[in-house]
Each structure stands twice: as structure tokens, then as C-alpha cells.
């Protein structure tokens, strides 16, 4: 089981009451970070990934949580993130909590053995509905009964809303996960397009991006902002440079800093994880 560990020497397992835990949990990957809330500094990152082309089972997720040194400690606050591609947005003015399953079904059909959760997206005056595996949700709730549950689009939206206001033209953001990606396009400081797509090959991602640009009517887009599972000079960025002038990697920003141990880490890879603390509600 591949494991990534990044930690500052000031990390103290006996001081977690002064720390904030942000945990992105799914069958494809379990990644968490710790924020020292006294200094507002990220001091720890750990990621578990299953063997190649294999997903964690519900029992394996439970075992990892219960055996990890840090995951069952008491924290000042805990955020649980989901990166599922099963989500939809409903205008807040039209949203009826009693019909959330119906709204979700209209977009995704019947998805068996899933719990439907919701987040308010203030920046879009909309409610985001997302599906999470019911066994995974029950597992997480049992271990973290007071946690705030977010879909990763919520912190991503908080970030994008601030970033797009720095530009005079369209703002295009793509976040890449292991088997799906999320794309958002803003024009005139308003959300014009938001969707998630599964993919098998990198060329699938490029195809969808170019088609959204082509049919959006947003005019010529000079730059694209990337986060998630991509790096400079990889296949995706190499292909995108053939069509888009500027490829930018989204850097997490907020009322926090990072320990020097993150200096060689591509922070854009964990954008939602690091920015979840920006949008408590």
C-alpha cells in the first residue's frame, strides 16, 4: 500500500486539540492534512493509495482509519471531503430539502447504496447535492460524528470565486482526480458552466476542455487554471499548451501558511484539501 508522509518536526501527537484535521476520504485514495490552528500553519500531510488499479474496500478504509496514529485523535475541528463525480447544483430559491433525492435522481438516475448529502454554495446562491457510498458515509460518521462533510467542489468554489475576480476575462479551472475531473468556467464574474466527467485517457480530458471552450461562447480563452493530479510537463499540460497560451497551477491561499517541509510539494495537487478551512458554513 503506497504511503506518502510529509511532516514538520513541530508536529506533536499530544497537541491535536490545537489542530484542525482535513480528511479527503474515498475508495480510490485516503489523504489528510493537519493545520496547527495556533500558528495557522499546515504541518502534516499523509496519503494512502491502494495498489495500482485496485480500490480500497470498506473494510480496508475502516482498518486504515483505526490503525493510523493520527486519524482517531481529538481535533479542534474536522472536515471530511468527498471527491465523487456524482454531484449536481440546485438554485437555492428552488431547493426543497424534502426533494433532494429527486433532484439528484434527475441528473444521475438511480444510484444504489449511496447517501445524498448537501452543501450550500453561497458564491453561487445554490445547493450542491452529492452522492457518497453509504457504507463509506456510515464509516466516516461513526468515527467523526461532529465533522463537517463537504464535497470538494465547495472549497474549490470558494477558491475560484476569489481568483476569477482578479481577472478581466474568462476564468477556466479544471481539477483532476484519479478517474474523473471537474471543470468550471466563469464569465463576467458569474458561473457559466460546471460539470464533472469520467475519463480513461488524458486525451479525453483535453477533448472535453476544448469542446466546452468551443461551445461556451466565452470568446478566446488565454489561460487555464489546473489543480489535482497533474504536473508541469506531463501529458496533459503538454497537450494543452498546443491550444491554450498559458497553463497555470492553482496555489492554495487563505489565512494560513505552510511549513518549509512542503517547499518541494506541488500544493495545487491538494487544493481542496488545503482550502476547506476557508469556507466554514
Amino acid at each position: 500500500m503506497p504511503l506518502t508522509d510529509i511532516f514538520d518536526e513541530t508536529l506533536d501527537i499530544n497537541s491535536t486539540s490545537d489542530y484542525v484535521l482535513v480528511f479527503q476520504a474515498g475508495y480510490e485514495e485516503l489523504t489528510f492534512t493537519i493545520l496547527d490552528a495556533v500558528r495557522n500553519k499546515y504541518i502534516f500531510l499523509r496519503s494512502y493509495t491502494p495498489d495500482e488499479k485496485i480500490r480500497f474496500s470498506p473494510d480496508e478504509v475502516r482498518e486504515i482509519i483505526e490503525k493510523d496514529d493520527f486519524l482517531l485523535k481529538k481535533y479542534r475541528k474536522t472536515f471530511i471531503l468527498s471527491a465523487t463525480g456524482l454531484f449536481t447544483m440546485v438554485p437555492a430559491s428552488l431547493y426543497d430539502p424534502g426533494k433532494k433525492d429527486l433532484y439528484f435522481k434527475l441528473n444521475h438516475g438511480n444510484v444504489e447504496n449511496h447517501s445524498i448529502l448537501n452543501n450550500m454554495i453561497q458564491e453561487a446562491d445554490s445547493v450542491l447535492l452529492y452522492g457518497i457510498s453509504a457504507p463509506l458515509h456510515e464509516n466516516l460518521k461513526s468515527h467523526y460524528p461532529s465533522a463537517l462533510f463537504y464535497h470538494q467542489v465547495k472549497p474549490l468554489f470558494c477558491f475560484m470565486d476569489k481568483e476569477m475576480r482578479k481577472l478581466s476575462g474568462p476564468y477556466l479551472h479544471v481539477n483532476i482526480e484519479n478517474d474523473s475531473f471537474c471543470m468550471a468556467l466563469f464569465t463576467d464574474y458569474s458561473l457559466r458552466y460546471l460539470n464533472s466527467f469520467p475519463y480513461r485517457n488524458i486525451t479525453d480530458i483535453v477533448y472535453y476542455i476544448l469542446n466546452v471552450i468551443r461551445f461556451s461562447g466565452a470568446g478566446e480563452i488565454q489561460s487555464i487554471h489546473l489543480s489535482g493530479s497533474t504536473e508541469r510537463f506531463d501529458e496533459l499540460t503538454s497537450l494543452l499548451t498546443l491550444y491554450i497560451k498559458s497553463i497555470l497551477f492553482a496555489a492554495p491561499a487563505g489565512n494560513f501558511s505552510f511549513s518549509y517541509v512542503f517547499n518541494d510539494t506541488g500544493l495545487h495537487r491538494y487544493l481542496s484539501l488545503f482550502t476547506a478551512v476557508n469556507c466554514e458554513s
Side-chain angles (χ1 to χ4, degrees):
M1 180 188 303
L3 173 67
T4 299
D5 253 359
I6 300 173
F7 61 91
D8 184 279
E9 68 273 9
T10 63
L11 178 69
D12 183 355
I13 198 168
N14 297 311
S15 298
T16 56
S17 60
D18 290 327
Y19 295 164
V20 174
L21 174 69
V22 188
F23 183 19
Q24 182 164 311
Y27 293 134
E28 298 82 12
E29 183 177 333
L30 299 168
T31 300
F32 67 95
T33 189
I34 291 174
L35 175 75
D36 181 337
V38 176
R39 296 181 294 161
N40 284 329
K41 178 179 287 189
Y42 281 105
I43 57 174
F44 185 67
L45 176 76
R46 175 172 286 172
S47 182
Y48 295 92
T49 54
D51 294 330
E52 188 175 359
K53 297 183 180 178
I54 298 177
R55 291 158 56 94
F56 288 127
S57 69
D59 287 342
E60 286 173 327
V61 171
R62 181 179 294 276
E63 181 180 6
I64 290 170
I65 291 173
E66 294 178 352
K67 288 186 175 181
D68 187 272
D69 295 341
F70 286 93
L71 281 175
L72 289 186
K73 293 293 182 179
K74 299 297 183 183
Y75 289 88
R76 180 178 295 190
K77 188 162 290 187
T78 298
F79 298 85
I80 306 293
L81 299 188
S82 173
T84 173
L86 298 173
F87 70 85
T88 190
M89 299 237 309
V90 181
S93 60
L94 302 177
Y95 181 69
D96 178 349
K99 297 180 179 178
K100 69 175 183 177
D101 289 358
L102 176 60
Y103 298 138
F104 186 83
K105 181 179 178 180
L106 287 173
N107 282 270
H108 297 289
N110 288 314
V111 182
E112 294 184 358
N113 209 21
H114 272 61
S115 300
I116 311 303
L117 307 185
N118 65 84
N119 294 150
M120 181 65 193
I121 309 295
Q122 287 90 345
E123 297 83 358
D125 193 26
S126 298
V127 177
L128 184 143
L129 301 175
Y130 66 99
I132 178 174
S133 161
L136 176 61
H137 184 225
E138 290 302 316
N139 187 352
L140 294 169
K141 281 200 307 179
S142 68
H143 287 104
Y144 307 101
S146 61
L148 292 172
F149 280 76
Y150 287 170
H151 189 277
Q152 68 164 7
V153 165
K154 182 174 174 68
L156 186 62
F157 219 105
C158 294
F159 174 86
M160 294 188 299
D161 185 69
K162 292 180 176 62
E163 292 300 306
M164 63 94 173
R165 296 182 189 282
K166 300 176 183 179
L167 304 178
S168 58
Y171 176 88
L172 178 63
H173 192 118
V174 178
N175 184 75
I176 315 295
E177 294 297 330
N178 293 325
D179 55 7
S180 67
F181 68 98
C182 175
M183 179 166 28
L185 175 64
F186 293 80
T187 60
D188 298 323
Y189 307 111
S190 296
L191 180 66
R192 187 182 186 93
Y193 182 87
L194 174 68
N195 208 347
S196 177
F197 302 93
Y199 71 92
R200 292 185 178 180
N201 304 300
I202 296 300
T203 51
D204 296 338
I205 302 175
V206 176
Y207 171 82
Y208 284 118
I209 291 173
L210 295 180
N211 271 277
V212 168
I213 292 174
R214 178 182 177 187
F215 293 110
S216 67
E220 185 176 2
I221 292 179
Q222 299 288 335
S223 61
I224 183 171
H225 301 252
L226 299 178
S227 58
S229 301
T230 183
E231 301 287 353
R232 297 183 189 278
F233 311 118
D234 65 6
E235 183 181 2
L236 176 61
T237 57
S238 298
L239 286 173
L240 287 175
T241 55
L242 300 176
Y243 306 98
I244 299 175
K245 182 177 180 181
S246 180
I247 311 298
L248 305 171
F249 290 88
N255 184 30
F256 53 77
S257 61
F258 292 89
S259 165
Y260 73 94
V261 297
F262 288 93
N263 287 352
D264 296 326
T265 302
L267 299 180
H268 69 278
R269 293 181 60 86
Y270 310 100
L271 181 65
S272 293
L273 196 72
F274 290 134
T275 57
V277 295
N278 288 341
C279 50
E280 293 186 49
S281 61

